[in-house]
Amino acid sequence: MQIEGKTVLVTGAARGIGRAIAEAFAGEGANVVLADLGSLANKPAAGWHYGLSPESELAGAAKEIRERGGSCAALEVDVSDRASCQSLVQESVETFGRLDVIVNNAGVIKLGYIADFAESEWDRIFAVNAKGVFLMSQAALPHLEEQGGLIINIASNAGKKGSPYNSAYCASKAAVIGLTQSMAAELADRSIRVNAICPGNVFTSMQFDYLVLHRLQQYEGQSLEEAFDAFVQATAPLGRRQAPEEIADAALYLARADSVTGISLSVDGGNGIGVS
């Protein structure tokens, strides 16, 4: 796929991996739609146990792309809501006249002992991480079919290898990998490619605000970044974290790789070695 002039929609684009992907596509000349909760994160029903992206982050991400000469729009979406997904796609097409690529990146996490894990928290994780991919893809399909488009799903190495106290997140990301494979097979005759990226240890707000604090108590006395890096060095063969820009590089590769569909590309420092 030639990226310049295409329209790329990225969910969860206000920060972290989603923002890096949006910036990368904009840098290649694409029109980019940055989609995130924005003001929707302030609704009482949207309450979560760590800070989701506020409206200011979404606006700031778009402002930075424009200052670099990129073409973009910042739109709000709740990927767990069908009407919101449909409205996002429609507004994206009205803004740029076409839709060629969607990157399903929005996601949430909650750790907990499986015996005590709340049903409502399980449902929330699946509503965003798995159902959100389904709803966004379904809403975009008529437009992607017109262009011979591409779906990129941000899964996780957690979808390939389970870990204790992380059952809901691991299960939801395994669902994304299965959905990716099924959609790739189903949509190939419509010239729509579907792939997933499985990041490893990326130091995003999800890691900084939640995972490091709740999983790395053995590194007490170190800063959050020091604790995170010590954990990565002990668990990943390459011994280093992944940057959001490295996940963005993988997304650009998948956009250009016209013969690649149905894969779940690990960008995890070797963390998944030995996992089929």
Side-chain angles (χ1 to χ4, degrees):
M1 174 184 288
Q2 172 65 41
I3 295 174
E4 185 174 4
K6 299 297 193 294
T7 298
V8 180
L9 189 163
V10 185
T11 66
R15 63 189 182 191
I17 289 172
R19 180 168 178 167
I21 290 173
E23 290 174 346
F25 276 100
E28 295 293 323
N31 302 307
V32 178
V33 177
L34 296 91
D36 216 308
L37 280 170
S39 65
L40 301 178
N42 299 324
K43 291 184 176 181
W48 198 237
H49 51 276
Y50 59 91
L52 302 181
S53 299
E55 191 173 3
S56 60
E57 281 191 317
L58 180 58
K63 180 175 182 290
E64 187 168 325
I65 287 176
R66 294 189 187 106
E67 287 175 347
R68 295 177 181 176
S71 172
C72 71
L75 302 175
E76 295 183 348
V77 67
D78 175 355
V79 300
S80 67
D81 179 80
R82 178 184 298 275
S84 183
C85 294
Q86 292 173 335
S87 176
L88 170 64
V89 167
Q90 184 61 35
E91 193 169 353
S92 299
V93 173
E94 289 175 356
T95 300
F96 292 117
R98 59 188 294 158
L99 181 60
D100 302 272
V101 180
I102 64 166
V103 181
N104 290 307
N105 170 70
V108 292
I109 194 169
K110 175 72 166 65
L111 302 179
Y113 181 45
I114 187 65
D116 302 325
F117 205 85
E119 181 181 359
S120 60
E121 291 174 337
W122 181 280
D123 289 346
R124 173 67 183 274
I125 288 169
F126 268 80
V128 176
N129 294 2
K131 180 183 174 183
V133 173
F134 159 67
L135 291 177
M136 279 302 311
S137 299
Q138 191 176 64
L141 278 177
H143 305 284
L144 297 179
E145 190 169 349
E146 287 181 15
Q147 309 299 339
L150 169 67
I151 299 170
I152 299 175
N153 300 321
I154 305 302
S156 172
N157 65 350
K160 295 183 175 182
K161 181 172 69 173
S163 59
Y165 308 103
N166 201 18
S167 57
Y169 184 78
C170 291
S172 71
K173 292 302 187 177
V176 172
I177 292 171
L179 180 58
T180 296
Q181 294 171 344
S182 293
M183 288 199 300
E186 186 172 341
L187 299 174
D189 64 356
R190 294 170 171 80
S191 298
I192 298 173
R193 295 186 296 115
V194 188
N195 292 294
I197 301 173
C198 296
N201 298 297
V202 186
F203 200 63
T204 60
S205 294
M206 182 185 289
Q207 293 278 8
F208 190 89
D209 294 342
Y210 184 70
L211 286 177
V212 175
L213 290 172
H214 286 75
R215 299 186 73 178
L216 305 183
Q217 293 92 344
Q218 68 268 40
Y219 301 104
E220 186 176 356
Q222 299 184 21
S223 70
L224 291 178
E225 290 207 34
E226 288 171 340
F228 183 69
D229 285 335
F231 170 76
V232 172
Q233 289 168 10
T235 57
L238 287 183
R240 66 171 181 83
R241 68 175 78 170
Q242 286 72 63
E245 291 75 17
E246 292 178 288
I247 313 306
D249 286 342
L252 291 177
Y253 160 72
L254 292 174
R256 295 187 172 108
D258 290 335
S259 292
V260 176
T261 195
I263 72 165
S264 298
L265 176 63
S266 294
V267 186
D268 65 357
N271 191 268
I273 287 175
V275 179
S276 60

